[in-house]
Amino acid sequence: MSTSQNIKDQLHLTDEVLAATPTPFYFYDLGLLDSTLECINSEIAGYPYVVHYAVKANGNPRLLSEIARYGMGADLVSGGEILAALQAGFPPGLMNYSGVGKTDREICIGLEHGIGIFNVESLPELEVIDQLAGSMGKAVRVAIRVNPDIDAHTHRYITTGTADDKFGISIDRLGQAVELARSLPHLHLSGLHFHLGSQMTDMRPYVMLCDVINGLLDHYEEQGITFEFINVGGGLGIDYDDPDEHPMADFGQYFGVFKRHLRLRPHQQLHFELGRAIVGQCGSLISRVVFVKEARSKRFVILDAGMTDLVRPALYHARHQVQNLTAGCSGGQETYDVVGPVCESTDVLARDCRLPVTHRGDIIAIRSAGAYGESMASTYNMRSLPLSCFTKP
Ligand code: LLP
């Protein structure tokens, strides 16, 4: 049975950090981040693979510079993310810029800084990028984002590659987009881009994606059209139920799918845009119990962290492990709803959670919160944004 000290050791969270940092705060284990990045780099070594970190998962400047040190590219979705990635030291040539609604201003920021690739999601966007690039006397590499109509078997709100989603260009319109991109003078059509969805733990949709891509490559090759790279997006899931047992995603299995099923052409690169699998497990949200409250049929643990700090449970019914760092796991257990202080009934971080008997002042860790935690935090109810703090073992 884990003691309170065991749990803190596992997280590499020291009593000094706890004493010095006001709750709530995000705590990042940079040792785990480093091992994760090393594991990715060793899986792709010897293959023409390039991993772009999806900055939307977590744009914390310290994490960004740590990731940039490992030679990764950056996958960006706004002018703000472009500037943050430049600041952190990602090379512009290894950046790609995605998004269905890039504004003219954001496109110009990308062009000014020489972003490597624009992932384009519609015909009008191709035309606008061409015009803006022309007016700046530049030529730009683009990839067309294809909507492959494959169900990622993940939560409806984080599925992106089916025909009803707003993302990408459907396969039946792809011919038109390819023709337009090739005809526009300031664009160089370099790749095809795909993204199925997020938190995917079933690899079968990726196998289906490889089949779709193989078919498209054959089709375009017959027409004498080749692509410098294929980008298969991100989406690899992590183990939210047992982060200690699986502190890293199964990168071997994931990259293995593409190694086995995708028929890359000679000199063709394969690009990935991973977010959650890189930063998800290295972050925990650390919070303090404000009150424990008994209602008619429930017991509530009320934290000083809520949906403004971590919105995933309220927005996607996401489950995160909750641990009491003060009580450890010893002694009797109770069932609690762990809630935040925000004036919304969806401000629940975990329902029917088994915890040791919990008291006012206890420190609580909400695990696997490194991805889409801090980056989705808000100031609703005029609350402060959570702080962040880091450790290396
Ligand atoms: N590439 C594209 C085009 C994307 O839209 C996304 C995520 C990624 C890459 C990175 O996906 P990842 O490897 O992190 O799964 N807020 C939600 C997840 C939204 C994902 C949005 N797109 C959550 O908290 O589960």
Side-chain angles (χ1 to χ4, degrees):
M1 181 141 300
S2 304
T3 63
S4 142
Q5 196 53 47
N6 287 152
I7 303 175
K8 284 187 262 181
D9 288 350
Q10 189 94 35
L11 292 177
H12 300 114
L13 179 56
T14 60
D15 289 331
E16 292 72 50
V17 168
L18 276 175
T21 322
T23 52
F25 64 92
Y26 274 95
F27 179 72
Y28 297 105
D29 177 355
L30 297 184
L32 178 55
L33 178 62
D34 286 344
S35 323
T36 306
L37 293 164
E38 274 159 24
C39 175
I40 293 175
N41 278 347
S42 84
E43 285 294 338
I44 65 173
Y47 289 84
Y49 290 3
V50 180
V51 175
H52 296 90
Y53 168 60
V55 169
K56 65 174 85 67
N58 195 324
N60 184 298
R62 178 86 189 269
L63 300 186
L64 291 186
S65 18
E66 193 74 11
I67 296 167
R69 283 201 308 116
Y70 280 79
M72 301 218 165
D75 168 45
L76 309 161
V77 291
S78 70
E81 286 192 359
I82 295 174
L83 297 176
L86 288 165
Q87 184 85 32
F90 286 94
L94 280 184
M95 292 185 187
N96 57 38
Y97 180 22
S98 313
V100 290
K102 303 176 185 79
T103 63
D104 291 15
R105 212 181 108 63
E106 290 177 307
I107 293 170
C108 289
I109 294 177
L111 291 169
E112 270 160 31
H113 292 283
I115 296 299
I117 298 142
F118 282 69
N119 290 331
V120 179
E121 308 229 7
S122 65
L123 302 188
E125 190 191 328
L126 281 171
E127 283 168 345
V128 169
I129 296 177
D130 178 65
Q131 279 160 17
L132 293 172
S135 69
M136 293 168 79
K138 301 205 176 208
V140 60
R141 287 153 82 222
V142 296
I144 294 176
R145 175 157 177 189
V146 185
N147 183 329
D149 198 15
I150 294 174
D151 189 345
H153 298 294
T154 181
H155 192 284
R156 176 71 201 100
Y157 294 173
I158 47 176
T159 294
T160 44
T162 66
D164 291 338
D165 295 310
K166 69 178 174 182
F167 300 101
I169 292 175
S170 59
I171 292 198
D172 51 332
R173 284 171 195 222
L174 179 59
Q176 214 184 330
V178 167
E179 205 175 308
L180 178 64
R182 282 164 55 85
S183 73
L184 292 170
H186 307 102
L187 303 187
H188 179 67
L189 177 60
S190 306
L192 295 178
H193 173 225
F194 305 82
H195 174 74
L196 299 181
S198 203
Q199 183 50 21
M200 291 169 57
T201 46
D202 178 353
M203 294 296 111
R204 281 171 299 181
Y206 287 122
V207 175
M208 287 164 71
L209 177 62
C210 290
D211 291 341
V212 169
I213 297 172
N214 289 334
L216 287 172
L217 290 180
D218 290 344
H219 170 77
Y220 282 108
E221 218 163 55
E222 279 165 22
Q223 301 183 21
I225 300 174
T226 53
F227 297 98
E228 187 191 318
F229 66 86
I230 297 297
N231 182 334
V232 288
L236 175 62
I238 58 172
D239 188 348
Y240 282 97
D241 294 329
D242 200 343
D244 293 325
E245 181 66 23
H246 298 118
M248 273 189 237
D250 195 340
F251 293 111
Q253 190 190 33
Y254 172 71
F255 289 112
V257 167
F258 299 97
K259 290 174 188 173
R260 275 197 308 281
H261 295 278
L262 194 62
R263 285 188 282 107
L264 278 187
R265 305 309 197 243
H267 310 299
Q268 196 166 49
Q269 285 188 340
L270 183 59
H271 293 191
F272 300 86
E273 299 169 343
L274 293 174
R276 188 190 314 267
I278 294 178
V279 289
Q281 295 292 34
C282 76
S284 301
L285 176 60
I286 308 295
S287 170
R288 193 178 291 274
V289 177
V290 185
F291 296 114
V292 178
K293 167 169 158 174
E294 304 257 347
R296 195 170 51 190
S297 57
K298 281 204 181 272
R299 276 188 194 86
F300 293 102
V301 165
I302 305 171
L303 300 181
D304 61 5
M307 65 191 288
T308 54
D309 307 290
L310 179 66
V311 76
R312 303 193 67 256
L315 201 53
Y316 317 112
H317 307 130
R319 278 198 322 265
H320 288 255
Q321 286 300 308
V322 176
Q323 289 170 323
N324 184 326
L325 300 189
T326 308
C329 295
S330 42
Q333 297 230 323
E334 292 281 9
T335 302
Y336 299 98
D337 275 9
V338 178
V339 302
V342 175
C343 299
E344 292 279 344
S345 42
T346 53
D347 185 24
V348 177
L349 291 159
R351 281 184 204 280
D352 297 324
C353 187
R354 295 290 291 167
L355 286 175
V357 176
T358 294
H359 303 99
R360 171 174 165 79
D362 285 0
I363 297 288
I364 300 290
I366 301 172
R367 302 290 304 277
S368 314
Y372 307 107
E374 194 179 348
S375 61
M376 294 181 78
S378 78
T379 56
Y380 179 45
N381 280 196
M382 292 184 117
R383 284 168 55 76
S384 305
L385 290 173
L387 300 171
S388 54
C389 123
F390 310 84
T391 197
K392 277 199 185 199

